[in-house]
Amino acid sequence: MDLQDTSAIVTGGASGLGAATARALAARNVHVFALDLGSSLKNAERADGITYLEADVTDPEAIRKAVQIAAANRPLRITVNCAGILPMARIIGRTGPHDSSLFAKVLEVNLVGSFNVMAISAEEMRKTDPDDDGQRGVVINTASIAAFEGQIGQVAYATSKAGIVGMTLPAARDLAQYGIRVNAIAPGIVETPMMDTLSDEVRTGLAAGVPFPKRLARAEEFASLALAIIDHDYLNGEVIRMDGALRMQPR
Protein backbone atom coordinates (compact mmCIF):
# COMPACT_ATOMS: atom_id res chain seq x y z
CA MET A 1 0.00 0.00 0.00
CA ASP A 2 1.23 3.47 -0.89
CA LEU A 3 1.31 5.45 2.35
CA GLN A 4 2.23 8.82 0.92
CA ASP A 5 -0.21 11.63 1.72
CA THR A 6 -2.52 9.35 3.71
CA SER A 7 -3.77 9.40 7.28
CA ALA A 8 -3.89 6.80 10.03
CA ILE A 9 -5.68 6.30 13.33
CA VAL A 10 -3.89 4.65 16.25
CA THR A 11 -5.82 4.05 19.46
CA GLY A 12 -3.99 3.89 22.75
CA GLY A 13 -1.60 6.27 21.03
CA ALA A 14 -0.34 8.06 24.14
CA SER A 15 2.02 5.30 25.28
CA GLY A 16 3.26 1.76 24.79
CA LEU A 17 2.36 -0.12 21.62
CA GLY A 18 0.20 2.72 20.33
CA ALA A 19 2.83 5.41 20.78
CA ALA A 20 5.51 3.29 19.10
CA THR A 21 3.20 2.53 16.17
CA ALA A 22 2.19 6.16 15.79
CA ARG A 23 5.85 7.24 15.67
CA ALA A 24 6.72 4.53 13.13
CA LEU A 25 3.88 5.58 10.84
CA ALA A 26 4.77 9.26 11.17
CA ALA A 27 8.33 8.38 10.13
CA ARG A 28 6.83 7.04 6.90
CA ASN A 29 5.21 10.44 6.24
CA VAL A 30 1.75 9.29 7.28
CA HIS A 31 -0.35 11.90 9.07
CA VAL A 32 -1.13 10.05 12.28
CA PHE A 33 -4.01 10.70 14.65
CA ALA A 34 -3.27 9.21 18.07
CA LEU A 35 -6.42 8.60 20.09
CA ASP A 36 -6.44 8.11 23.83
CA LEU A 37 -8.14 9.14 27.06
CA GLY A 38 -7.54 12.71 28.21
CA SER A 39 -5.75 11.52 31.35
CA SER A 40 -3.29 9.53 29.23
CA LEU A 41 -2.73 12.30 26.70
CA LYS A 42 -1.62 14.68 29.47
CA ASN A 43 1.49 12.57 29.98
CA ALA A 44 2.09 11.67 26.34
CA GLU A 45 5.51 12.33 24.85
CA ARG A 46 4.60 14.36 21.77
CA ALA A 47 6.16 13.61 18.39
CA ASP A 48 6.19 15.42 15.06
CA GLY A 49 3.64 14.34 12.47
CA ILE A 50 1.17 13.12 15.10
CA THR A 51 -2.09 14.82 16.08
CA TYR A 52 -3.31 13.82 19.53
CA LEU A 53 -7.07 13.51 19.99
CA GLU A 54 -9.02 12.72 23.13
CA ALA A 55 -11.43 9.87 22.48
CA ASP A 56 -12.78 6.90 24.41
CA VAL A 57 -12.98 3.76 22.23
CA THR A 58 -16.18 2.75 24.04
CA ASP A 59 -17.91 5.93 22.85
CA PRO A 60 -18.95 5.50 19.19
CA GLU A 61 -19.82 9.17 18.79
CA ALA A 62 -16.38 10.28 20.00
CA ILE A 63 -14.74 7.83 17.61
CA ARG A 64 -16.94 9.03 14.76
CA LYS A 65 -15.80 12.61 15.35
CA ALA A 66 -12.15 11.57 15.51
CA VAL A 67 -12.46 9.59 12.27
CA GLN A 68 -14.01 12.57 10.52
CA ILE A 69 -11.10 14.74 11.63
CA ALA A 70 -8.56 12.14 10.47
CA ALA A 71 -10.21 11.84 7.06
CA ALA A 72 -10.83 15.56 6.50
CA ASN A 73 -7.77 16.37 4.38
CA ARG A 74 -6.26 13.01 3.40
CA PRO A 75 -7.65 9.54 2.68
CA LEU A 76 -7.84 7.42 5.80
CA ARG A 77 -6.01 4.21 4.95
CA ILE A 78 -4.81 2.74 8.24
CA THR A 79 -6.33 1.94 11.62
CA VAL A 80 -4.34 0.27 14.39
CA ASN A 81 -6.16 -0.59 17.61
CA CYS A 82 -3.85 -0.67 20.64
CA ALA A 83 -6.15 0.63 23.38
CA GLY A 84 -6.73 -1.89 26.15
CA ILE A 85 -6.81 -2.65 29.86
CA LEU A 86 -5.49 -5.60 31.88
CA PRO A 87 -7.08 -6.01 35.32
CA MET A 88 -6.41 -9.31 37.08
CA ALA A 89 -9.09 -11.27 38.95
CA ARG A 90 -9.89 -14.93 39.50
CA ILE A 91 -13.36 -16.34 38.91
CA ILE A 92 -13.53 -17.02 42.63
CA GLY A 93 -11.26 -14.81 44.73
CA ARG A 94 -10.76 -14.04 48.39
CA THR A 95 -13.70 -11.65 48.43
CA GLY A 96 -16.05 -13.83 46.38
CA PRO A 97 -16.88 -14.34 42.70
CA HIS A 98 -15.39 -12.26 39.90
CA ASP A 99 -17.09 -8.87 39.61
CA SER A 100 -19.33 -9.18 36.56
CA SER A 101 -19.15 -5.44 35.92
CA LEU A 102 -15.34 -5.66 35.75
CA PHE A 103 -15.60 -8.59 33.32
CA ALA A 104 -18.00 -6.58 31.15
CA LYS A 105 -15.74 -3.51 31.32
CA VAL A 106 -12.71 -5.42 30.02
CA LEU A 107 -14.75 -6.76 27.10
CA GLU A 108 -16.19 -3.31 26.44
CA VAL A 109 -12.78 -1.66 26.19
CA ASN A 110 -10.67 -4.39 24.60
CA LEU A 111 -13.17 -6.07 22.28
CA VAL A 112 -16.15 -3.78 21.73
CA GLY A 113 -13.84 -0.75 21.63
CA SER A 114 -11.74 -2.35 18.89
CA PHE A 115 -14.89 -3.25 16.98
CA ASN A 116 -16.21 0.32 17.27
CA VAL A 117 -13.04 1.85 15.86
CA MET A 118 -12.72 -0.77 13.13
CA ALA A 119 -16.31 -0.43 11.94
CA ILE A 120 -16.42 3.38 12.00
CA SER A 121 -13.04 3.84 10.35
CA ALA A 122 -13.82 1.17 7.72
CA GLU A 123 -16.97 3.08 6.81
CA GLU A 124 -14.76 6.10 6.06
CA MET A 125 -12.14 4.01 4.24
CA ARG A 126 -14.69 2.60 1.83
CA LYS A 127 -15.45 6.13 0.58
CA THR A 128 -11.87 6.60 -0.63
CA ASP A 129 -10.55 5.88 -4.10
CA PRO A 130 -8.95 2.43 -4.35
CA ASP A 131 -5.37 1.89 -5.48
CA ASP A 132 -4.49 -0.08 -8.62
CA ASP A 133 -5.18 -3.36 -6.80
CA GLY A 134 -8.55 -2.21 -5.51
CA GLN A 135 -7.24 -1.68 -1.97
CA ARG A 136 -8.63 1.09 0.21
CA GLY A 137 -7.24 0.40 3.67
CA VAL A 138 -6.03 -1.92 6.39
CA VAL A 139 -7.12 -2.48 10.00
CA ILE A 140 -4.82 -4.06 12.58
CA ASN A 141 -6.26 -5.10 15.92
CA THR A 142 -4.25 -6.11 18.98
CA ALA A 143 -4.93 -9.57 20.38
CA SER A 144 -2.58 -11.33 22.81
CA ILE A 145 -1.10 -14.76 23.35
CA ALA A 146 -3.44 -14.78 26.35
CA ALA A 147 -6.16 -15.46 23.78
CA PHE A 148 -4.62 -18.93 23.41
CA GLU A 149 -2.92 -19.48 26.80
CA GLY A 150 -4.68 -17.26 29.30
CA GLN A 151 -3.19 -17.46 32.77
CA ILE A 152 -4.79 -17.68 36.20
CA GLY A 153 -6.50 -14.37 36.90
CA GLN A 154 -6.78 -13.45 33.22
CA VAL A 155 -10.25 -14.80 32.47
CA ALA A 156 -11.66 -11.40 31.43
CA TYR A 157 -8.55 -10.31 29.53
CA ALA A 158 -8.10 -13.66 27.77
CA THR A 159 -11.77 -13.70 26.77
CA SER A 160 -11.55 -10.20 25.32
CA LYS A 161 -8.44 -11.07 23.31
CA ALA A 162 -9.92 -14.36 22.13
CA GLY A 163 -12.76 -12.23 20.78
CA ILE A 164 -10.24 -10.22 18.75
CA VAL A 165 -8.88 -13.46 17.30
CA GLY A 166 -12.37 -14.71 16.46
CA MET A 167 -13.31 -11.39 14.88
CA THR A 168 -10.35 -11.25 12.50
CA LEU A 169 -11.37 -13.62 9.71
CA PRO A 170 -15.08 -12.72 9.49
CA ALA A 171 -14.17 -9.03 9.59
CA ALA A 172 -11.69 -9.56 6.75
CA ARG A 173 -14.39 -11.37 4.78
CA ASP A 174 -16.99 -8.69 5.52
CA LEU A 175 -14.73 -5.86 4.39
CA ALA A 176 -13.13 -7.61 1.41
CA GLN A 177 -15.73 -6.20 -0.96
CA TYR A 178 -14.48 -2.70 -0.10
CA GLY A 179 -10.80 -3.52 -0.49
CA ILE A 180 -10.10 -3.28 3.26
CA ARG A 181 -7.82 -5.84 4.88
CA VAL A 182 -8.11 -6.90 8.54
CA ASN A 183 -5.34 -8.56 10.54
CA ALA A 184 -4.38 -8.91 14.19
CA ILE A 185 -1.14 -9.09 16.14
CA ALA A 186 -0.98 -11.31 19.22
CA PRO A 187 1.99 -10.06 21.25
CA GLY A 188 3.62 -11.89 24.10
CA ILE A 189 5.10 -9.97 27.03
CA VAL A 190 6.04 -6.49 25.85
CA GLU A 191 8.04 -3.82 27.66
CA THR A 192 5.35 -1.15 28.05
CA PRO A 193 4.22 1.22 30.84
CA MET A 194 1.77 -1.52 31.87
CA MET A 195 4.82 -3.51 33.01
CA ASP A 196 6.16 -0.71 35.22
CA THR A 197 4.10 -1.93 38.17
CA LEU A 198 6.10 -5.18 38.28
CA SER A 199 9.33 -5.61 40.23
CA ASP A 200 12.66 -6.20 38.48
CA GLU A 201 12.63 -9.73 39.88
CA VAL A 202 9.25 -10.51 38.31
CA ARG A 203 10.26 -8.95 34.98
CA THR A 204 13.48 -10.99 34.94
CA GLY A 205 11.47 -14.13 35.60
CA LEU A 206 9.09 -13.35 32.77
CA ALA A 207 11.95 -12.74 30.36
CA ALA A 208 13.62 -16.00 31.40
CA GLY A 209 10.56 -17.92 30.21
CA VAL A 210 10.92 -16.70 26.63
CA PRO A 211 12.82 -19.26 24.49
CA PHE A 212 14.50 -16.67 22.24
CA PRO A 213 15.25 -13.81 22.30
CA LYS A 214 15.40 -14.28 26.07
CA ARG A 215 13.96 -10.86 26.93
CA LEU A 216 10.71 -8.97 26.85
CA ALA A 217 9.54 -7.71 23.47
CA ARG A 218 9.93 -4.04 22.62
CA ALA A 219 7.06 -1.80 21.60
CA GLU A 220 9.08 -0.82 18.53
CA GLU A 221 9.02 -4.46 17.41
CA PHE A 222 5.23 -4.41 17.51
CA ALA A 223 5.29 -1.22 15.42
CA SER A 224 7.69 -2.84 12.95
CA LEU A 225 5.35 -5.80 12.52
CA ALA A 226 2.37 -3.48 12.04
CA LEU A 227 4.22 -1.70 9.23
CA ALA A 228 5.13 -5.03 7.65
CA ILE A 229 1.45 -6.04 7.64
CA ILE A 230 0.50 -2.71 6.10
CA ASP A 231 3.15 -3.08 3.40
CA HIS A 232 2.26 -6.70 2.58
CA ASP A 233 -0.89 -6.41 0.49
CA TYR A 234 -1.58 -10.16 0.51
CA LEU A 235 -1.76 -10.50 4.30
CA ASN A 236 -5.42 -10.63 5.20
CA GLY A 237 -7.52 -12.36 7.86
CA GLU A 238 -4.42 -13.40 9.82
CA VAL A 239 -3.52 -13.39 13.51
CA ILE A 240 0.27 -13.20 13.89
CA ARG A 241 1.95 -14.15 17.17
CA MET A 242 4.89 -12.00 18.26
CA ASP A 243 6.19 -13.81 21.33
CA GLY A 244 9.70 -15.25 20.92
CA ALA A 245 8.16 -18.77 20.87
CA LEU A 246 6.73 -18.24 24.37
CA ARG A 247 3.85 -20.47 25.44
CA MET A 248 2.34 -19.20 28.67
CA GLN A 249 2.12 -21.46 31.72
CA PRO A 250 -0.93 -21.38 34.05
CA ARG A 251 0.79 -18.80 36.29
Side-chain angles (χ1 to χ4, degrees):
M1 178 186 291
D2 183 7
L3 302 184
Q4 294 303 309
D5 202 31
T6 62
S7 69
I9 285 176
V10 180
T11 68
S15 64
L17 303 180
T21 303
R23 290 193 298 268
L25 286 167
R28 292 280 298 272
N29 297 318
V30 177
H31 192 170
V32 181
F33 293 82
L35 278 54
D36 216 316
L37 299 175
S39 56
S40 299
L41 290 175
K42 288 179 181 178
N43 301 317
E45 184 177 340
R46 306 293 167 125
D48 293 338
I50 302 175
T51 300
Y52 295 86
L53 299 176
E54 181 177 354
D56 184 336
V57 296
T58 66
D59 182 350
E61 189 54 39
I63 296 303
R64 194 167 286 109
K65 290 178 181 177
V67 167
Q68 290 172 351
I69 293 171
N73 299 312
R74 297 171 183 82
L76 177 62
R77 296 291 194 202
I78 300 160
T79 292
V80 184
N81 275 308
C82 297
I85 57 175
L86 176 55
M88 300 287 286
R90 299 189 182 203
I91 294 177
I92 300 176
R94 289 175 181 157
T95 60
H98 195 302
D99 184 347
S100 61
S101 63
L102 175 62
F103 186 89
K105 179 65 175 179
V106 176
L107 265 66
E108 182 184 21
V109 174
N110 294 356
L111 178 55
V112 179
S114 295
F115 173 81
N116 287 339
V117 179
M118 176 177 65
I120 294 169
S121 59
E123 170 65 14
E124 193 62 44
M125 287 177 186
R126 81 179 182 95
K127 300 174 184 176
T128 64
D129 294 329
D131 64 13
D132 292 341
D133 291 326
Q135 185 171 202
R136 289 186 170 88
V138 57
V139 178
I140 300 173
N141 294 316
T142 301
S144 167
I145 62 171
F148 311 103
E149 299 122 30
Q151 295 185 295
I152 290 171
Q154 288 187 336
V155 63
Y157 182 73
T159 300
S160 70
K161 294 304 184 177
I164 296 289
V165 171
M167 185 167 67
T168 302
L169 183 58
R173 288 171 166 171
D174 274 1
L175 297 176
Q177 62 181 311
Y178 306 115
I180 300 170
R181 294 185 288 123
V182 181
N183 293 283
I185 299 173
I189 307 171
V190 186
E191 188 77 61
T192 67
M194 194 178 291
M195 298 293 293
D196 291 345
T197 58
L198 302 180
S199 67
D200 290 341
E201 182 181 3
V202 171
R203 289 150 66 100
T204 300
L206 290 171
V210 181
F212 187 80
K214 199 165 284 295
R215 59 170 173 79
L216 304 186
R218 303 183 181 108
E220 290 74 18
E221 291 171 319
F222 177 95
S224 176
L225 179 53
L227 284 177
I229 292 171
I230 292 164
D231 287 336
H232 199 308
D233 293 347
Y234 208 67
L235 273 179
N236 195 15
E238 290 296 328
V239 179
I240 302 173
R241 292 182 66 130
M242 189 196 83
D243 57 23
L246 174 65
R247 298 298 180 267
M248 299 289 281
Q249 297 305 306
R251 66 177 76 212

